[in-house]
Amino acid sequence: LATGPRQNNSIFYEIRTYDIKPPKMKEFVEMVNKYFHLRTAHSELVGFWSAELGAMNKVVHVWKYDNFAHRTAVRHALANDKDWQGKFISPALPLIEKQHNEVAYLVPWCQLGKPPKEGGVYEWVTFQMKPGGPALWGEAFQAAINAHINRGYTKLIGVFHTEYGLLNTVHVIWWSESPDHRAAGRHSAHEDARVVAAVRDSVRFLESQQNMLLIPLQCSPLK
């Protein structure tokens, strides 16, 4: 099935999700904060968060690559980085229960954004869409996203659709000043006729959705 228009460059994002053993979450976060500069020396980290609501003992981090050759070169360099392997990877692996990764592109109509200030929270919303890609659902989904943006209920950080992993998946990252600010925005959006109409039009392409409230780690560029 056709996927429709796509960004006109080869940049992609790797989304890595780790489930941490419950007793080891604090230890894992401390290790990340202490040693992750060894990892970010090799490639660009977009954000690193821990789940606060919607999941437990889970971290999500997003990496930007110029192309697949760039990622291959970075992974090779990491495998040969003795500091990274010895100080982080070897002690961190026993703390991890499960790992999952996806490759995703920004949708053609979205630029990666930044929050207006530090100290907020992030909502990660995952939509499982009907097969067909942005050619099928893109216009209606964009309208639903824009309806929230235009009313100022929340700040959009990025909209991604998967290339590897569970296909026809769309991840949307939102920023809010606080969990209460996010809750107030949701309440207002549910009573806004323009938002409701746009969302109703887009859900005809939707199979399922889920979300998490995320807190940025100390090492995260998005804070």
Side-chain angles (χ1 to χ4, degrees):
L1 295 176
T3 57
R6 176 171 290 173
Q7 61 190 33
N8 57 8
N9 57 52
S10 58
I11 292 171
F12 68 86
Y13 298 84
E14 183 178 6
I15 301 166
R16 300 179 72 93
T17 305
Y18 296 170
D19 290 322
I20 310 302
K21 295 177 180 179
K24 301 297 184 179
M25 186 65 182
K26 183 176 182 292
E27 182 180 351
F28 180 83
V29 170
E30 288 175 348
M31 287 187 59
V32 169
N33 288 333
K34 185 175 182 179
Y35 293 117
F36 226 60
H37 65 280
L38 299 172
R39 174 62 183 85
T40 54
H42 290 274
S43 65
E44 182 179 348
L45 175 65
V46 174
F48 200 130
W49 304 269
S50 62
E52 180 72 13
L53 297 171
M56 296 181 70
N57 305 303
K58 187 183 293 289
V59 297
V60 181
H61 39 126
V62 179
W63 299 89
K64 181 180 179 181
Y65 292 103
D66 296 334
N67 48 47
F68 287 98
H70 179 211
R71 181 185 183 276
T72 298
V74 169
R75 300 302 298 176
H76 179 76
L78 288 169
N80 289 282
D81 186 328
K82 293 182 179 179
D83 273 353
W84 171 244
Q85 294 293 329
K87 293 179 180 179
F88 185 83
I89 293 297
S90 293
L93 283 178
L95 314 181
I96 300 172
E97 192 76 55
K98 183 170 62 175
Q99 295 175 292
H100 174 72
N101 78 332
E102 298 169 282
V103 166
Y105 293 99
L106 282 170
V107 295
W109 40 269
C110 175
Q111 299 290 324
L112 191 63
K114 293 184 177 180
K117 60 182 180 180
E118 294 185 2
V121 297
Y122 292 79
E123 182 182 9
W124 184 290
V125 190
T126 299
F127 300 87
Q128 187 61 37
M129 310 299 289
K130 293 181 179 179
L136 177 70
W137 48 258
E139 185 176 337
F141 196 83
Q142 181 181 4
I145 294 292
N146 285 339
H148 286 83
I149 296 172
N150 294 339
R151 302 299 291 163
Y153 296 131
T154 187
K155 166 71 176 176
L156 178 67
I157 301 300
V159 181
F160 306 84
H161 67 102
T162 54
E163 178 73 6
Y164 287 98
L166 184 59
L167 296 180
N168 307 302
T169 301
V170 180
H171 300 291
V172 181
I173 308 175
W174 299 99
W175 177 89
S176 296
E177 291 184 13
S178 68
D180 287 317
H181 184 267
R182 182 263 179 195
R186 290 281 291 176
H187 182 78
S188 297
H190 289 163
E191 295 183 345
D192 188 319
R194 284 168 289 189
V195 174
V196 171
V199 170
R200 281 179 178 169
D201 186 50
S202 70
V203 296
R204 56 198 169 104
F205 304 113
L206 181 65
E207 297 285 0
S208 65
Q209 65 186 95
Q210 61 182 22
N211 69 344
M212 298 182 290
L213 191 73
L214 304 176
I215 307 297
L217 269 63
Q218 180 180 315
C219 67
S220 179
L222 287 174
K223 288 187 169 59

